[in-house]
Amino acid sequence: MPSTQQAGVQDAYPSRLTSRPESLWQPRKDAVVKGQHLSGPLSEAQLEEFERKGFLFIPNLITGDELETLRDDIQALMTTDAYRDQEFSITEPESNEIRSLFAVHRLSERLGALANDERVAGAARQIVGDDPYVHQSRINYKPGFAGKGFNWHSDFETWHAEDGMPGMHAVSASLILTDNHEFNGPLMLIPGSHTKFVPCLGETPEDNHKSSLKAQEVGVPSPEALSELVAQHGIEAPKGKAGGLLLFDCNTLHASNANLSPDPRSNVFFVFNRPDNRCREPYAAPKHRPDFLAHSPDEN
Ligand code: 6CS
Ligand code: FE
């Protein structure tokens, strides 16, 4: 499918190619941490770790009653039958269990407040370099025994190709809501992969999001590129108790395995984007994705 990108706009990060790229990856063009000079909750050492690895885990950010109240809120959202067949809720491929629920910061006051909480939005400000807006929010729920995994991918590759996000000035903040241990499908990340853009083979089909959110087939790096990056950088899977916050760069490669343990794995994600990096025309997709996936600050 031809891209809808306006003619003549240079694509800094071409992907969804029709033929194999000459090289496995290209260097990142955008700086990683842009807001060192801005106020916020992250220390110099934490910003340095994020710069180097492309992610940062902050244990026990939210604890006690605050965490329990949030978890109750989220449990209520995930079991709201009215959401089950809505476009913004994605069920597991084989069951009708809700796997992801989007735009949750607009469905729950508490989550809306959390998206503006200085402990979260302030950290995002220091990373992206300005007061950010929420590009996307979602709850990923991976039930025990049935929760499927997610293929390796860079979120930015999708948000650039399908949502028209120009540069790498967005960051995901994932609050873990159930203990993430080695057996219930924790997020796996390749440290350092955020500094390389891996172009992906295969054009974006119409309405790709209707299948990609259940199982991503397009926008998945080649086994060669993944093997080389893992050989160079390894894989890390930050684990920890519920209430920990994982910040990861929009371009850090990540994936997660299926959950074959009895314990559910649930996270709530906020994607913070810098206002001057708002989405334009998709760089490699037939048309824009719905607002619940890629919110434009111009609309309300
Ligand atoms: O397409 C997206 O926007 C979503 N897909 C994945 C697998 N991760 C990022 C995001 O939630
Ligand atoms: Fe992702």
Side-chain angles (χ1 to χ4, degrees):
M1 277 290 176
S3 153
T4 57
Q5 182 55 32
Q6 294 102 343
V9 175
Q10 181 58 31
D11 183 355
Y13 297 107
S15 189
R16 309 292 165 98
L17 310 175
T18 50
S19 56
R20 294 178 74 77
E22 280 103 57
S23 50
L24 293 178
W25 58 69
Q26 66 174 79
R28 176 187 184 123
K29 295 182 170 72
D30 300 299
V32 178
V33 172
K34 282 83 52 165
Q36 298 87 339
H37 56 293
L38 300 176
S39 66
L42 298 183
S43 68
E44 210 173 301
Q46 287 176 313
L47 287 171
E48 190 284 323
E49 182 175 338
F50 185 93
E51 175 78 33
R52 182 166 40 83
K53 293 174 72 170
F55 60 89
L56 172 72
F57 182 63
I58 304 169
N60 308 315
L61 185 87
I62 296 187
T63 56
D65 291 348
E66 185 184 16
L67 178 60
E68 288 320 308
T69 315
L70 258 182
R71 281 155 54 120
D72 294 344
D73 241 30
I74 283 158
Q75 182 58 22
L77 286 178
M78 298 302 277
T79 51
T80 303
D81 282 339
Y83 293 157
R84 211 166 283 281
D85 54 3
Q86 297 291 321
E87 211 196 353
F88 56 80
S89 90
I90 310 293
T91 51
E92 284 291 351
E94 278 97 46
S95 71
N96 206 17
E97 283 230 43
I98 293 182
R99 162 188 173 100
S100 299
L101 194 63
F102 285 88
V104 291
H105 68 295
R106 299 210 287 259
L107 295 176
S108 144
E109 254 180 59
R110 228 173 243 110
L111 290 177
L114 187 61
N116 286 302
D117 187 301
E118 183 60 11
R119 292 168 293 178
V120 183
R125 177 197 311 124
Q126 290 177 281
I127 290 168
V128 304
D130 194 355
D131 282 319
Y133 71 93
V134 176
H135 165 75
Q136 179 186 110
S137 70
R138 69 191 184 276
I139 298 168
N140 276 353
Y141 179 75
K142 208 185 270 190
F145 302 119
K148 293 286 169 282
F150 289 86
N151 258 335
W152 286 105
H153 64 281
S154 149
D155 291 339
F156 174 75
E157 192 277 343
T158 291
W159 297 338
H160 180 74
E162 299 189 53
D163 299 335
M165 184 184 281
M168 298 179 180
H169 302 299
V171 60
S172 286
S174 166
L175 179 71
I176 63 176
L177 296 164
T178 52
D179 294 359
N180 275 211
H181 55 70
E182 59 220 273
F183 306 114
N184 66 343
L187 201 66
M188 301 184 294
L189 304 112
I190 302 177
S193 60
H194 62 307
T195 63
K196 297 162 174 96
F197 180 73
V198 183
C200 299
L201 198 53
E203 291 187 295
T204 311
E206 283 275 350
D207 292 335
N208 182 45
H209 66 279
K210 291 189 173 157
S211 58
S212 70
L213 297 175
K214 282 183 185 275
Q216 181 162 355
E217 303 304 333
V218 173
V220 177
S222 68
E224 295 77 16
L226 287 166
S227 306
E228 184 54 36
L229 285 168
V230 171
Q232 286 185 25
H233 302 285
I235 298 175
E236 286 188 30
K239 294 174 271 300
K241 315 252 340 123
L245 184 75
L246 176 67
L247 295 162
F248 59 103
D249 182 88
C250 57
N251 190 48
T252 305
L253 287 175
H254 58 284
S256 64
N257 284 315
N259 178 7
L260 294 179
S261 83
D263 309 323
R265 192 216 73 173
S266 166
N267 301 334
V268 57
F269 293 75
F270 300 103
V271 178
F272 293 100
N273 189 24
R274 204 170 67 187
D276 66 353
N277 192 45
R278 71 191 58 198
C279 296
R280 301 177 186 156
E281 285 309 305
Y283 287 84
K287 63 180 191 305
H288 270 290
R289 300 198 301 172
D291 186 71
F292 71 84
L293 278 175
H295 176 61
S296 162
D298 302 327
E299 290 156 29
N300 224 4

